[in-house]
Amino acid sequence: MLLRLLRRTAVFLASLFVSSIAVFTFMAVLPGDPARVTLGVNASDSAVQQLRDEFGLDRPLVSQYASWVHGLVTFRLGDSYVSNAAIGPQIADRFQVTLWLVVTGMVIAVLIAVPVGTVMAIRHRRLSGVLLSGLSQVGVAVPAFLAGILLITVFAVRLRWLPANGWTPPVVDPGMFLKQLVLPAFSLGIVQGAVLTRYVRSAVLDVLREDYLRTARAKGLRPGQALVRHGLRNAAIPVVTMLALQLATLLIGAVVVERVFVIPGLGSLLLDSVANRDLIMIQDVVMVLVVAVLLVNFLVDLLYIAIDPRLRAGAS
Amino acid sequence: MSTANVTASTSEHPPDRSAVLAVRDLSVAAGQRRLVEEVGFTIHAGERVGLIGESGSGKSLTALSLMGLLPGELTATGSARLGDHDLLSGDEAALSQVRGKDIAMVFQEPMTALNPTMRVGHQVAEALLIHRARTDRRSAHAGAVELLAQVGLPDPAVVAHAYPHQFSGGQRQRIMLAIALANDPALLICDEPTTALDVTVQAMILDLVVRGVEQRNSALLFITHDLAVVATVCERVLVMYGGRIVESGPVLEVFTRPRHPYTQGLIATSDLAVVDARGRLATIRGSVPPAGEFPAGCVFRNRCDHATQACADRPPWTELGDETGYACFHPVTHSRRGFDD
Amino acid sequence: MTVHSVELADTAVGPARRARGWNASLVVGGLIVGLLIVMALLSFVWTPHDPTLVNAAARLQQPSAEYWFGTDKFGRDVFSQIMVGSQTALFVGIVAVGVAALVGVPLGIVGGMGSRWVGETLMRFNDLLLAFPALLLAIMFAAVYGGSTLVAMVAIGIASIPNFARLVRSGTLQVMRTEYVLAARAAGRHPFGIGLRHVLPNVSGLVIVQMSVGFAIAVLAEAALSFLGFGTPPPTPTWGRMLQASQELLWEAPRLAVFPGVAIAVAVLGFNMLGDGLRDYLDPKLEDRR
């Protein structure tokens, strides 16, 4: 078990290292001259040189990389090329907003997917199962931003139940915060839920075929009891894997949904930075997103060890 | 009293008083396809009965239909009375009360029959809790530890806290046996419980099964394709082929004086001393047809050397004595020896 | 394998045989995809109107015989734009899926045939790539090079590599355990020959299914990219940009969002269903598992 933990940790750290190199190479090396990219072709050479000096862009790449990573680890990311505002606090602020969206979206997705997927599996030979299956197929085909636009059309424009866009932090006005959270969170949650539903279905179908479920029934458990007591924990393993893999999709889905609902999250920050050609900000935001995804995958690996006793046994 | 009612003479013999299980006209079908046909037999209290046959003969389906655990696409008809319960009634609520309490089963594959994410003790204790043999978790756990000790697992208290993957196949089968015996069932069904195990482990498991049912005065229905196992474990044997019972009787009688050519072939193939002129082991000609595609009439006739025109009709059940008989137009007369040329 | 399941396998032969052949997913998915291709090809030579023609006199028209899906705020014909938009969706899909398959399939085969170490390293690399979804890659590319069709195709293609590599690797591992491959290896065949002769044909079914599903993913990603303005630049109409433009007019003309939205959803649904149908067609045993 300790060995497994150490190996997972090593893989996690190596992934962080490799992805940071990749992001750095892409954003800081490939553009050739980030200062020129930032200021545009029409900027004067002296202005470009000034920016280079200010941000140490003439230093060797290794030293630039080292100070960037140092900044990331200590979360002192310096100031933006463009706005001169401190990057670290901005990212932290925006990340909170995105986290609300993503977590609520994921909770909605799970709340939809687990019951619906289970019913689909139990009734997969019956009409109700087939209909639900078709419905989830349609859900999978709708991107989150499209779901957002459609939800706005129905609930904000037609019914006028909820605001079409905007964001209020929960500490300022909890009521408004919730109202404004509903539509974007459902945009993410419904779509993600549809995808997840199909995985829950196939995981439960697999479990229903397992010998130990037959053993459970041979003991005198009814089919439903057997599934709940013996099946769902085992079905959870592939579903949790999927959930973790979906997190990347969900985070990036949030980027687009933030644009639809005019929410000042990490996605908006990223898109604004692209519009402003703020390369260093983009580099940092991308890295934060990547770290978040890798971290969650790492945590899920640890979660497996908790769910599945076979993995706790050390070397398999 | 008749054992396998191939002809429709069920009502002549009222069920025996000491009968634990009385099966009549049991058929299992997948849609139009009949996989088990009109099987009938009786098992008395404390009796150990073997059910033998090749794979595809319908042995396991017979057992699963008695447990009410047939896969969804299969349906069972007929009657199977266990005490006051009709096991084929399809009443899920009533059946789950019986299952694991009055009738229990040990499956063939111990590696997958236990829940990998639940402690072994908990899985045994669950069997006690479901049927209220114990009402609180603590005494259920104590009961589980005791059962684990009874099936010969060393350090049962430690075993109870372990997970299935920490055990070998033989140990897991012991755990399965502990679960099956937890509520002192009137009937224990074992479906090839030792087929997946090493030969050395087999004997120990068989011994545990026999001791387990003897101590509880439980009846045993033991499914296997291994005649030697039947000879060690059982008193009586049912021979199944093509979804039908083709012969039955006391083990000694059937194995020394088989009447049905199939039984005779089965015995010949299992005897490593019997070889033909070229020194090859005896085999039964041809192979078992896919389930549901056996010939009409006598199911064995396409592989039988004695088959004639008469075999196109279904052979009636010839009764030789109590629970003893066969279904064949050309029973083996015991002057001949050697089945396959 | 239990006797129980062997018997069931015997009984399952009939229904399994029946499942092989046309199924609803295959037919419906195939029809949708076929229609999409016809629409894209047709739009090269004919559209009801010039999709880029600005006509102030015909702003925000309701659907009519003249303008089947109505017009947008510049008076451009929505139906014609949808037709031309299918070109971009399909073009990006073809290139992206092609890139992903060309890189992912060999990687997966090598990962499955190579040593354990090679396979594990490849899988870790795969996991790493999964942390860079298409959209994130495209945003990085667009930040440096600006948005374009090429950026969309390359980003989606790279992000789709892990799907192919993972699938092909697990398929390869299965094939490598079969007796005919063991025999070929025992006979001293060169690994390259085994990969080409035994592995590739056996995983091709998986690859075809994944291509169809990958196409659906590509259409979704392309829509998101052009919605954000990182895809094909104007004036070429794309479904994503039509959606983006519809947003400010949701109160006046929600249909401007509905038509491209439905186009995206139907296209994705078509490719997903085709993938499901192909999977059932190629492997009836998996009927219940999709």
Side-chain angles (χ1 to χ4, degrees), chain B residues 191-308:
Chain B
D191 185 1
E192 309 233 15
T194 58
T195 308
L197 304 178
D198 285 349
V199 183
T200 46
V201 182
Q202 263 196 30
M204 289 189 283
I205 299 287
L206 294 179
D207 185 48
L208 274 173
V209 169
V210 172
R211 271 198 287 159
V213 292
E214 273 182 346
Q215 279 163 8
R216 292 167 171 78
N217 197 31
S218 305
L220 175 69
L221 178 63
F222 197 100
I223 297 171
T224 181
H225 61 262
D226 188 338
L227 281 75
V229 169
V230 173
T232 355
V233 173
C234 303
E235 300 152 344
R236 198 150 60 77
V237 63
L238 310 164
V239 182
M240 217 169 161
Y241 182 81
R244 301 171 163 277
I245 291 184
V246 294
E247 180 159 11
S248 76
V251 171
L252 190 67
E253 172 75 16
V254 172
F255 283 7
T256 52
R257 297 163 55 82
R259 309 297 171 130
H260 199 286
Y262 174 67
T263 315
Q264 191 191 34
L266 210 57
I267 293 165
T269 57
S270 69
D271 187 348
L272 297 184
V274 177
V275 290
D276 67 9
R278 279 177 285 177
R280 293 181 311 191
L281 289 169
T283 54
I284 300 179
R285 179 162 64 82
S287 56
V288 185
E293 291 178 14
F294 287 88
C298 174
V299 282
F300 189 57
R301 71 187 161 104
N302 61 337
R303 301 177 70 193
C304 181
D305 291 333
H306 311 296
T308 60

Side-chain angles (χ1 to χ4, degrees), chain B:
Chain B
M1 115 138 253
S2 80
T3 48
N5 291 276
V6 176
T7 53
S9 61
T10 28
S11 50
E12 284 174 33
H13 303 276
D16 192 301
R17 261 166 209 250
S18 66
V20 169
L21 175 73
V23 179
R24 296 288 171 263
D25 294 326
L26 169 66
S27 297
V28 176
Q32 296 301 311
R33 208 180 268 251
R34 311 260 281 176
L35 306 172
V36 172
E37 278 197 82
E38 293 167 27
V39 163
F41 58 89
T42 305
I43 300 180
H44 303 276
E47 196 184 15
R48 301 193 300 273
V49 177
L51 180 58
I52 56 172
E54 291 164 276
S55 57
S57 62
K59 319 180 292 284
S60 295
L61 291 180
T62 302
L64 286 173
S65 59
L66 295 178
M67 288 296 288
L69 294 177
L70 283 175
E73 61 274 23
L74 304 184
T75 49
T77 52
S79 87
R81 297 207 70 81
L82 182 87
D84 296 333
H85 310 284
D86 185 354
L87 299 176
L88 304 183
S89 68
D91 177 356
E92 187 54 44
L95 282 178
S96 58
Q97 305 273 317
V98 179
R99 237 182 256 142
K101 181 160 168 274
D102 302 312
I103 179 169
M105 184 159 170
V106 174
F107 300 96
Q108 179 182 3
E109 189 46 74
M111 301 311 276
T112 53
L114 290 164
N115 184 343
T117 56
M118 193 186 274
R119 289 180 202 280
V120 163
H122 192 137
Q123 299 193 47
V124 180
E126 191 182 30
L128 293 167
L129 287 166
I130 293 170
H131 298 290
R132 317 246 164 213
R134 307 291 172 106
T135 45
D136 65 302
R137 285 185 171 273
R138 204 181 214 155
S139 77
H141 184 77
V145 171
E146 194 186 314
L147 281 161
L148 290 169
Q150 281 176 28
V151 294
L153 287 162
D155 278 331
V158 179
V159 164
H161 276 285
Y163 287 94
H165 72 267
Q166 291 165 281
F167 298 97
S168 68
Q171 288 169 319
R172 290 191 210 189
Q173 206 58 300
R174 287 169 194 258
I175 296 163
M176 282 300 293
L177 188 61
I179 292 173
L181 292 175
N183 294 304
D184 303 337
L187 173 67
L188 174 69
I189 302 176
C190 291
D191 185 1
E192 309 233 15
T194 58
T195 308
L197 304 178
D198 285 349
V199 183
T200 46
V201 182
Q202 263 196 30
M204 289 189 283
I205 299 287
L206 294 179
D207 185 48
L208 274 173
V209 169
V210 172
R211 271 198 287 159
V213 292
E214 273 182 346
Q215 279 163 8
R216 292 167 171 78
N217 197 31
S218 305
L220 175 69
L221 178 63
F222 197 100
I223 297 171
T224 181
H225 61 262
D226 188 338
L227 281 75
V229 169
V230 173
T232 355
V233 173
C234 303
E235 300 152 344
R236 198 150 60 77
V237 63
L238 310 164
V239 182
M240 217 169 161
Y241 182 81
R244 301 171 163 277
I245 291 184
V246 294
E247 180 159 11
S248 76
V251 171
L252 190 67
E253 172 75 16
V254 172
F255 283 7
T256 52
R257 297 163 55 82
R259 309 297 171 130
H260 199 286
Y262 174 67
T263 315
Q264 191 191 34
L266 210 57
I267 293 165
T269 57
S270 69
D271 187 348
L272 297 184
V274 177
V275 290
D276 67 9
R278 279 177 285 177
R280 293 181 311 191
L281 289 169
T283 54
I284 300 179
R285 179 162 64 82
S287 56
V288 185
E293 291 178 14
F294 287 88
C298 174
V299 282
F300 189 57
R301 71 187 161 104
N302 61 337
R303 301 177 70 193
C304 181
D305 291 333
H306 311 296
T308 60
Q309 278 300 317
C311 302
D313 290 326
R314 188 168 291 176
W317 184 256
T318 309
E319 201 164 318
L320 296 176
D322 195 28
E323 309 283 354
T324 307
Y326 58 87
C328 180
F329 288 114
H330 310 291
V332 181
T333 55
H334 280 275
S335 52
R336 273 189 284 149
R337 180 118 171 78
F339 170 75
D340 191 24
D341 71 336

Side-chain angles (χ1 to χ4, degrees), chain C residues 81 84-85 88 222 226-227 231-233 235-243 260:
Chain C
Q81 291 186 60
V84 175
T88 312
E222 194 277 329
S226 52
F227 177 80
T232 307
T236 313
T238 64
W239 296 340
R241 193 144 19 71
M242 289 172 75
L243 266 177

Side-chain angles (χ1 to χ4, degrees), chain A:
Chain A
M1 174 172 172
L2 191 64
L3 191 71
R4 185 178 292 273
L5 271 180
L6 284 175
R7 206 167 54 201
R8 292 286 179 217
T9 313
V11 167
F12 172 60
L13 293 176
S15 305
L16 284 181
F17 176 69
V18 174
S19 52
S20 70
I21 295 271
V23 171
F24 180 80
T25 309
F26 204 86
M27 302 304 303
V29 181
L30 286 190
D33 188 347
R36 175 62 73 186
V37 173
T38 302
L39 296 178
V41 276
N42 297 327
S44 71
D45 287 348
S46 64
V48 172
Q49 188 56 46
Q50 196 190 339
L51 196 66
R52 275 197 205 121
D53 293 341
E54 197 178 330
F55 287 92
L57 296 177
D58 285 331
R59 288 180 299 158
L61 286 174
V62 177
S63 127
Q64 286 186 46
Y65 172 75
S67 62
W68 177 56
V69 170
H70 182 257
L72 280 174
V73 172
T74 56
F75 216 72
R76 271 199 286 271
L77 294 168
D79 299 335
S80 156
Y81 288 156
V82 177
S83 63
N84 284 322
I87 293 178
Q90 267 198 77
I91 290 185
D93 264 14
R94 302 295 195 96
F95 195 64
Q96 268 185 19
V97 175
T98 301
L99 213 56
W100 274 114
L101 263 185
V102 169
V103 170
T104 328
M106 195 148 244
V107 169
I108 292 171
V110 172
L111 288 181
I112 293 174
V114 172
V116 175
T118 307
V119 169
M120 270 160 70
I122 295 173
R123 312 203 156 185
H124 74 284
R125 286 172 198 284
R126 296 198 220 148
L127 185 65
S128 54
V130 174
L131 285 180
L132 280 175
S133 206
L135 200 63
S136 76
Q137 186 70 276
V138 173
V140 171
V142 176
F145 66 93
L146 174 56
I149 291 176
L150 297 179
L151 286 177
I152 292 177
T153 314
V154 175
F155 292 100
V157 175
R158 292 280 143 139
L159 300 172
R160 296 174 189 277
W161 287 354
L162 293 159
N165 55 38
W167 181 263
T168 313
V171 285
V172 175
D173 181 352
M176 198 59 199
F177 162 73
L178 284 177
K179 275 187 189 169
Q180 288 178 330
L181 181 64
V182 172
L183 289 185
F186 265 91
S187 313
L188 283 172
I190 292 174
V191 174
Q192 234 36 47
V195 177
L196 200 60
T197 298
R198 303 180 71 76
Y199 285 93
V200 172
R201 174 183 184 267
S202 86
V204 172
L205 268 181
D206 282 347
V207 165
L208 284 175
R209 292 190 182 91
E210 290 284 354
D211 283 353
Y212 56 77
L213 223 68
R214 190 175 60 184
T215 305
R217 293 198 52 205
K219 286 181 194 176
L221 288 175
R222 300 201 197 163
Q225 290 175 314
L227 181 63
V228 170
R229 289 198 206 172
H230 291 267
L232 291 188
R233 190 185 173 97
N234 290 292
I237 294 171
V239 171
V240 169
T241 311
M242 203 49 222
L243 208 58
L245 288 180
Q246 279 195 337
L247 188 90
T249 327
L250 209 54
L251 264 177
I252 210 71
V255 171
V256 196
V257 167
E258 282 170 16
R259 168 66 39 116
V260 175
F261 288 93
V262 199
I263 293 171
L266 212 50
S268 307
L269 181 62
L270 183 61
L271 297 177
D272 293 345
S273 309
V274 174
N276 297 334
R277 284 186 288 203
D278 192 347
L279 288 192
I280 194 85
M281 179 72 99
I282 298 170
Q283 190 180 327
D284 290 337
V285 175
V286 166
M287 200 58 215
V288 166
L289 287 172
V290 170
V291 170
V293 171
L294 291 175
L295 184 67
V296 168
N297 282 322
F298 174 58
L299 293 178
V300 166
D301 274 345
L302 300 187
L303 188 65
Y304 283 152
I305 300 179
I307 294 186
D308 193 339
R310 284 166 293 189
L311 296 181
R312 249 176 278 161
S316 57

